[in-house]
Amino acid sequence: MASSLANSLVITGGRRGLGAALAQELVSALAPARLVLTARSVDQTFRSQWPAATLVEADLGSAGGVERAALSIGEVVAAAPHRHGAVWDAILVHNSGSLSPLGEIGQGMVGAGAGSGPADLAKNVFDSVSASSQLNIASFAALTAAFVDSASRRPAGLPRSLVLNVSSLAAIQPFSSWGVYCAGKAFRERLMSVLAAEQAELDGGGRVVAFSYAPGPLDTDMQLELRSSERVSKGVRDAMAAAHREGTLVSPAASAGAIARQVAAGPSALAGLGDGLRADYFDLVPQR
Amino acid sequence: MASSLANSLVITGGRRGLGAALAQELVSALAPARLVLTARSVDQTFRSQWPAATLVEADLGSAGGVERAALSIGEVVAAAPHRHGAVWDAILVHNSGSLSPLGEIGQGMVGAGAGSGPADLAKNVFDSVSASSQLNIASFAALTAAFVDSASRRPAGLPRSLVLNVSSLAAIQPFSSWGVYCAGKAFRERLMSVLAAEQAELDGGGRVVAFSYAPGPLDTDMQLELRSSERVSKGVRDAMAAAHREGTLVSPAASAGAIARQVAAGPSALAGLGDGLRADYFDLVPQR
């Protein structure tokens, strides 16, 4: 595409799986003037793929990693040029996340070797849910807050900015043995709906658009974990294995491409999807 | 009431506000053979109110507090007598929780004195959301897991057990400047729906019922915080102040009594409320 459609683009967990596909497809569709990708580890291969990008090595389950990512986000959003023809100013894509702890609520959530008394069980679940919440919830809130602040300080007259939350069908539908994942995605979608409500109360409808995207059942490492973990309930494991065998999983490129096209169409197009707050891959690409 | 309707009852945060009212109303309606109340601090007044109860001093935002509470829950659930006429075996009421961090997503979430750069802002939000998640989410998951395990080990033939999640309208409706609270309640309701799905897959429909209760706008310290905190958006603050002034807030006793009557009616009655997963005070007590 000839014209730049976004002034800056940030993607967390941009090295592998859906994050890598989102980087490819969003860069292709939006030609952002500035690009930030975070990853748990940044190696030479990753660098050679994105020579012009700011690559941030950050574990978003830790305060230090979140600070480092926020610093880059703030700098890049603030300094991004005001490109002619941009439909978005800044875009933050929350892609990074984890499945753990998997397991049915009760002893299913801890390994067979763990102590089995109620105190041991509670301690184990408390620690694993606390760690999961730091990565999937606290870093999500923290980077959203820093991004909203940075985007709100940009000069008047620029287009809106976007927080795109990579969500899941699990945010709105319960899956056995995936409770903490389902609940974490519900947390994120709810925070997005509050952000949308807060922005709607501001002059001119605010500077930031909040949107959640459920990318469909993807053929990624996360799926591999779901169909092979002993902690996943048999029903879910069998369904995932069948989907893999029958080739009905969605490729990361196809799912990333579908949302990239909607994002490239601009704020009004996104607001027209579903209830204006979330869309599922299967809404965007109806199946035959 | 003459007959015992529950073998054991556990309430977190049972010393003040809605928790104290739930203790009164549920004990009155269900006459549990064993009672556990947790509180951040246990003093002589509290002890004299509940001489026959097990009172656990525990900060449920810490692993140690959660372990201590889980140990008492496990012991009491396991050892509770099998009372004739019981409609529930064990009941766990998740009442404890916090509002913080309040504030609109962005600089609104941190105090005026905090550093204002993106890294400082993100660090501040990460730390406060992590702490909030430990209390409102991780301890919730941990005590639920320990309770479900203990309840599932009880002899066959006993009535079902109940996890009652004190929720909020905020779980299903966005409120500006309350984002983390709204999202935390959404997390809890989603985890309850997964627990319900998991139990439904077990033989005989499982041993544990999961239910969420939104108690209405209560006249408690939490409301006081909402109508007086500078971090709460003006619209919400004004609405809460008006409700307080006009006397339309619900008393903790009225709200606790409404859900206690439904719980005392047993598992089938609860399953018949709303979608079988949640009810709001105003569903139970229609307003004129």
Side-chain angles (χ1 to χ4, degrees), chain A residues 8-94:
Chain A
S8 60
L9 170 64
V10 180
I11 303 175
T12 66
R15 192 168 71 91
R16 293 190 312 144
L18 180 63
L22 284 166
Q24 290 290 348
E25 298 291 334
L26 286 167
V27 165
S28 165
L30 290 153
R34 296 287 181 275
L35 175 64
V36 178
L37 303 174
T38 81
R40 213 174 270 267
S41 70
V42 171
D43 59 13
Q44 202 45 52
T45 309
F46 190 35
R47 278 204 191 86
S48 65
Q49 286 171 321
W50 298 104
T54 302
L55 304 183
V56 182
E57 187 168 273
D59 169 5
L60 297 183
S62 76
V66 168
E67 278 184 281
R68 206 153 47 245
L71 190 62
S72 282
I73 291 170
E75 285 174 354
V76 165
V77 168
H82 309 171
R83 300 285 282 269
H84 182 70
V87 295
W88 294 103
D89 182 23
I91 299 174
L92 168 61
V93 181
H94 284 292

Side-chain angles (χ1 to χ4, degrees), chain B residues 98-171:
Chain B
S98 69
L99 273 172
S100 65
L102 288 167
E104 283 163 18
I105 298 164
Q107 288 290 344
M109 296 174 81
V110 302
S116 64
D120 286 339
L121 172 57
K123 166 76 161 63
N124 198 308
V125 173
F126 181 83
D127 288 345
S128 63
V129 175
S130 294
S132 153
S133 298
Q134 290 192 303
L135 176 60
N136 297 313
I137 286 174
S139 82
F140 177 83
L143 295 184
T144 299
F147 177 83
V148 167
D149 185 52
S150 297
S152 304
R153 292 171 192 274
R154 293 277 281 171
L158 291 176
R160 293 187 178 185
S161 293
L162 170 65
V163 181
L164 183 66
N165 165 36
V166 175
S167 188
S168 168
L169 181 59

